[in-house]
Amino acid sequence: MKKIITLGIETSCDETSIAVVEDGRKVLSNIILSQIKDHRVFGGVVPEVASRKHIENIGKILNIALEESNKQIQDIDYIGITNGPGLAGALLVGLSYGKALAYKNNIPFYGINHIEGHIYSNFIDTDIKPPFISLIVSGGHTHLVFVKDYGRYELIGKTRDDAAGEAFDKVARALGLDYPGGPEIDKLAKLGNYNNIDFPKALNQKDNFDFSFSGLKSSVLNYLNSKKMKNENIVIEDVAASFQRSVNEILVEKTINSALKYNQNMIVIAGGVGANSGLRKLFEERLRETNININFPPLKLCTDNAAMIASVTYYKSLREKSDKLDLNAIPNLKIQYE
Ligand code: KG4
Ligand code: ZN
């Protein structure tokens, strides 16, 4: 059977990425240019800078992605472009570029939901198939989703305030660490003892699948302030370890409880916080005595990348008609839930 080749374009935040994927799962190329160093001096992503950097680089990234995949633009069957959620200006760069590319070369294209993309990062180079429970934990989102089939989702729970990654980034900032804070806290936490400070776990009831991280974040900030006022020594390794443990306990408990409630024996993780080594260990520990399996995408696929967008594009092309040129960027685009 003829292989279907999709090209994904991702510019929703601070990574410019283009990928070429075969039949939704086999990566032929996945080029990711991170702008982290351009934003680090500001302590977070500056939307205007992100858009300008995408414009500067997207053409080069396309050429490299095609070259590395040994494909030419004429070989591409469908183009998929992240059109939300994300930063409006950043999304518009990828979307305008992708639409122009599709129009010029007469290739059908699809607007792709970035969060759906994160879920599909679990399909890359695996044979994992729905149904399963997916925990999506990124800088902007914390969602627990029951994936019934390709394109069929039920929302189980989501954060009521900060996203998990956002909490990592804000606590890291208070500790004087670099942006993005998640990997920095992850490194420090390995040197600390999580039993030394007792931070709260919000919405800890068994039948509640929503998350809340702003109380935990405030409690860390209060702890730091009160220590400073009293001129007491702060062991930042212990703060990092204890904070990280509180976040991870909540994520693991709620995800496993939802798998039990929905009678599912497969959990897949997605999004940048999925790279957290403590989260991986805790899940493996808690699942050891159960028949529930878990998949963590490789680190490169946890954070933003276009291979996951190309994967959604393939499965969408099997079910739906392509989009039209008036497709817009939607900064708060939601997944369609059943
Ligand atoms: O999925 P992603 O690349 O972008 C969004 O769509 O938001 O996630 C970025 C987030 C940041 O908040 C970053 O601090 C966090 O993922 N992150 C981590 C780790 N690596 C990245 N958080 C905890 N531990 C990590 N190792
Ligand atoms: Zn993301």
Side-chain angles (χ1 to χ4, degrees), residues 181-210:
E184 300 295 318
I185 291 196
D186 196 352
K187 264 188 260 164
L188 269 187
K190 288 186 184 136
L191 308 171
N193 183 342
Y194 62 76
N195 287 315
N196 280 356
I197 313 164
D198 197 18
F199 290 130
K201 289 187 276 168
L203 305 180
N204 204 10
Q205 309 84 349
K206 202 173 162 54
D207 56 348
N208 188 334
F209 294 104
D210 277 348

Side-chain angles (χ1 to χ4, degrees), residues 10 12 114-115 118 138-139 141 271-272 302-304 308:
E10 160 62 43
S12 67
H114 179 80
I115 305 299
H118 274 301
S138 71
H141 304 272
C302 274
T303 46
D304 290 349
M308 65 188 196

Side-chain angles (χ1 to χ4, degrees), residues 15-279:
E15 268 90 23
T16 318
S17 181
I18 297 187
V20 180
V21 169
E22 185 181 288
D23 284 347
R25 295 201 178 233
K26 184 173 172 202
V27 177
L28 304 183
S29 68
N30 184 22
I31 310 301
I32 306 165
L33 183 72
S34 168
Q35 305 173 354
I36 283 179
K37 64 175 187 338
D38 301 303
H39 299 283
R40 189 166 276 155
V41 285
F42 304 106
V45 177
V46 182
E48 169 81 15
V49 174
S51 311
R52 287 174 187 272
K53 288 284 161 189
H54 288 313
I55 291 174
E56 219 173 283
N57 294 310
I58 195 164
K60 286 176 253 175
I61 303 277
L62 174 70
N63 292 338
I64 301 170
L66 287 172
E67 199 178 302
E68 201 171 283
S69 67
N70 270 321
K71 298 285 175 197
Q72 300 190 325
I73 193 71
Q74 294 76 18
D75 301 322
I76 305 297
D77 295 297
Y78 301 99
I79 294 175
I81 315 155
T82 304
N83 73 319
L87 303 167
L91 288 166
L92 278 170
V93 176
L95 185 60
S96 311
Y97 191 87
K99 286 200 286 193
L101 188 69
Y103 180 71
K104 176 170 184 286
N105 296 288
N106 208 10
I107 302 170
F109 70 93
Y110 293 85
I112 302 295
N113 183 306
H114 179 80
I115 305 299
E116 211 173 339
H118 274 301
I119 297 174
Y120 282 56
S121 61
N122 285 279
F123 298 147
I124 305 291
D125 294 326
T126 73
D127 54 10
I128 294 169
K129 293 189 172 61
F132 49 69
I133 298 289
S134 182
L135 172 70
I136 304 134
V137 268
S138 71
H141 304 272
T142 304
H143 282 59
L144 205 44
V145 176
F146 175 32
V147 179
K148 299 176 183 176
D149 199 348
Y150 302 100
R152 291 190 54 211
Y153 312 103
E154 180 179 330
L155 180 66
I156 303 173
K158 65 178 172 34
T159 182
R160 295 186 184 172
D161 39 59
D162 291 355
E166 197 178 347
F168 269 97
D169 293 337
K170 286 178 178 166
V171 166
R173 195 171 178 156
L175 290 172
L177 305 172
D178 265 348
Y179 177 85
E184 300 295 318
I185 291 196
D186 196 352
K187 264 188 260 164
L188 269 187
K190 288 186 184 136
L191 308 171
N193 183 342
Y194 62 76
N195 287 315
N196 280 356
I197 313 164
D198 197 18
F199 290 130
K201 289 187 276 168
L203 305 180
N204 204 10
Q205 309 84 349
K206 202 173 162 54
D207 56 348
N208 188 334
F209 294 104
D210 277 348
F211 302 90
S212 165
F213 295 108
S214 78
L216 169 60
K217 174 197 67 192
S218 303
S219 145
V220 177
L221 301 188
N222 289 343
Y223 172 87
L224 294 175
N225 282 338
S226 92
K227 283 282 187 186
K228 275 180 204 150
M229 298 228 299
K230 289 189 233 156
N231 249 332
E232 288 175 7
N233 186 33
I234 298 170
V235 185
I236 62 169
E237 292 83 357
D238 286 351
V239 178
S242 305
F243 159 75
Q244 178 175 292
R245 183 73 178 192
S246 285
V247 174
N248 288 346
E249 288 267 7
I250 283 281
L251 295 175
V252 169
E253 235 163 77
K254 287 184 190 269
T255 308
I256 295 179
N257 282 343
S258 69
L260 295 172
K261 181 178 170 191
Y262 284 76
N263 230 337
Q264 295 300 308
N265 62 4
M266 185 72 201
I267 292 172
V268 311
I269 309 295
V273 182
N276 187 268
S277 58
L279 183 68

